[in-house]
Amino acid sequence: MTTYLLAGGGTAGHVNPLLAVADALTEREPDAEVYVLGTKEGLEARLVPERGYELLTIAKLPFPRRITRQAVGFGPRFAAAVRSIQSMIAEHGIDVVVGFGGYAAAPAYLAARRAGIPIVVHEANAKPGLANRLGARLTPFVGVAFHGTRLRNSRFVGMPLRREIERLDRDAARKAGRELFGLADDRPTLLVTGGSLGARRVNETIFAARQTLVDAGYQVLHIAGDKSELSDPGTEHYHLQSYCDQMDLALAVADFAVSRAGAATVSELSALGIPAAYIPYPVGNGEQRYNAADAVNAGGAVIVLDARFTPEWIEKSLVPLLIDRMRVQDMAVQSRLMGTLEGSSRMIDLISEALVRR
């Protein structure tokens, strides 16, 4: 029996691939012991216990970006976290640490190094974070979700995805999806999703251009997010949803997507061969632009800056693309070549390799 410590969390971008790997591990190895290391403040504090895994916690330790009073005390607090994780490793008989980035990952990598057990890293974003840049210096077992990720010792494994996405038969699920969302059988579907965070530009532009898109022969499934203030205007073939708890069916009906470029979203669309127009979130360190790069460079997607995503851009740039069915079909093929539905199994293979070579 192998005992695993999966370290990471804070945001869905770290927690979701971690849980996908945890589920795949326990499915492949039913007697495995899986522990998750995170913080009490992160999303993992709710999601990990809900999924049935034991959560071990450390204090939240953001890396200092500049010299402040708090930064002076970072070193001792970080060292204490490493010692605490070393004790957890010994207490639970951990055989391998698998890190996914976030606050818990960096001290976990150092604790594993001191304990003499294998380290495996997964980087979900095309632009690596600080924790995983550290982890990649400590191990040759580094998996990345995007081909263009520049990280020491990395190899492409793809994104560990939710089971319902990995096992989605789009052809079989399309009919159920159309019935669920009230979609017509004789029109291609444009799926629009931005989520509640930072999606106002996406939502307002699509809403304003809805008739243009319908007149181009499409039907629009617009998932605006639960914080959106838009209300359904009753436009024929325009379907506004504030929230969708069956995204697998939304993806099953999509012939083209308009979306932010979060790592999970790009990975899901690419893995399923859904061409897309990406509007990177304009705040942060620009990682969303990098996330979209593989698909864009392969010809499976287009990218437009947030400030340029307007009804005029839709009319002059997006609509001509959408009505060029041959180009859309080719984009679907190229998108599929950049993604994979095997991210979880490839990560498990990488972990197994690390265990064999320890």
Side-chain angles (χ1 to χ4, degrees):
M1 182 185 74
T2 305
T3 304
Y4 302 88
L5 180 64
L6 309 187
T11 66
H14 294 132
V15 178
N16 288 339
L18 182 156
L19 288 174
V21 170
D23 290 344
L25 279 170
T26 54
E27 183 174 32
R28 184 182 292 192
E29 188 182 341
D31 64 346
E33 289 282 349
V34 176
Y35 296 93
V36 177
L37 179 71
T39 69
K40 295 178 180 179
E41 296 84 4
L43 196 59
E44 66 273 17
R46 175 173 62 85
L47 295 183
V48 169
E50 283 181 357
R51 197 69 71 89
Y53 300 107
E54 183 174 345
L55 178 68
L56 310 177
T57 61
I58 60 170
K60 183 177 177 180
L61 290 169
F63 281 100
R65 304 285 180 170
R66 58 183 185 275
I67 302 300
T68 64
R69 182 178 298 177
Q70 286 186 331
V72 173
F74 174 79
R77 292 197 302 272
F78 187 84
V82 173
R83 291 192 298 271
S84 175
I85 298 169
Q86 281 185 269
S87 297
M88 295 175 190
I89 289 172
E91 178 183 352
H92 295 285
I94 303 297
D95 295 298
V96 58
V97 166
V98 186
F100 295 82
Y103 298 122
Y109 295 142
L110 291 178
R113 178 69 173 268
R114 292 182 182 179
I117 62 173
I119 300 166
V120 182
V121 175
H122 183 270
E123 176 54 61
N125 282 296
K127 190 173 183 179
L130 287 173
N132 281 348
R133 279 152 50 192
L134 168 64
R137 291 182 172 275
L138 303 177
T139 178
F141 306 105
V142 180
V144 296
F146 295 100
H147 296 273
T149 301
R150 295 183 178 180
L151 191 61
R152 186 174 181 176
N153 297 318
S154 66
R155 68 185 82 172
F156 174 76
V157 298
M159 180 75 79
L161 300 173
R162 295 170 290 164
R163 286 179 178 176
E164 61 266 30
I165 302 301
E166 285 187 339
R167 300 172 182 179
L168 178 65
D169 183 335
R170 292 187 66 207
D171 292 333
R174 193 181 299 268
K175 183 176 184 296
R178 285 175 173 162
E179 290 178 353
L180 175 66
F181 300 113
L183 301 173
D185 293 333
D186 59 351
R187 279 181 173 249
T189 301
L190 176 69
L191 172 65
V192 181
T193 176
S196 60
L197 178 61
R200 176 170 292 182
R201 168 81 68 171
V202 176
N203 287 337
E204 292 179 350
T205 294
I206 291 295
F207 189 82
R210 64 189 183 279
Q211 193 62 57
T212 300
L213 293 164
V214 169
D215 290 345
Y218 273 72
Q219 56 192 340
V220 181
L221 176 57
H222 183 182
I223 302 170
D226 54 13
K227 293 184 180 179
S228 170
E229 298 178 355
L230 298 179
S231 57
D232 194 337
T235 304
E236 187 177 15
H237 300 305
Y238 171 78
H239 305 265
L240 180 66
Q241 303 270 324
S242 61
Y243 178 75
C244 177
D245 59 1
Q246 289 187 270
M247 276 303 296
D248 54 326
L249 294 183
L251 292 168
V253 303
D255 296 287
F256 201 98
V258 171
S259 175
R260 290 299 192 198
T265 299
V266 173
S267 296
E268 290 180 355
L269 292 174
S270 296
L272 294 171
I274 301 172
Y278 291 118
I279 309 99
Y281 188 47
V283 179
N285 62 6
E287 69 271 9
Q288 288 205 355
R289 178 166 53 87
Y290 293 96
N291 291 343
D294 279 356
V296 172
N297 292 339
V302 296
I303 193 167
V304 56
L305 297 180
D306 185 81
R308 296 182 180 177
F309 186 65
T310 63
E312 291 74 24
W313 184 87
I314 288 179
E315 181 179 1
K316 295 178 180 179
S317 298
L318 183 59
V319 165
L321 188 164
L322 292 175
I323 62 178
D324 186 345
R325 299 299 174 82
M326 291 297 293
R327 185 182 174 191
V328 170
Q329 289 177 13
D330 181 65
M331 289 178 70
V333 172
Q334 300 306 318
S335 174
R336 181 67 182 86
L337 291 174
M338 287 295 100
T340 178
L341 292 169
E342 300 175 352
S344 296
S345 62
R346 290 181 178 185
M347 264 306 289
I348 293 176
D349 290 342
L350 185 61
I351 296 167
S352 297
E353 183 182 340
L355 284 165
V356 168
R357 291 174 55 183
R358 61 179 167 178

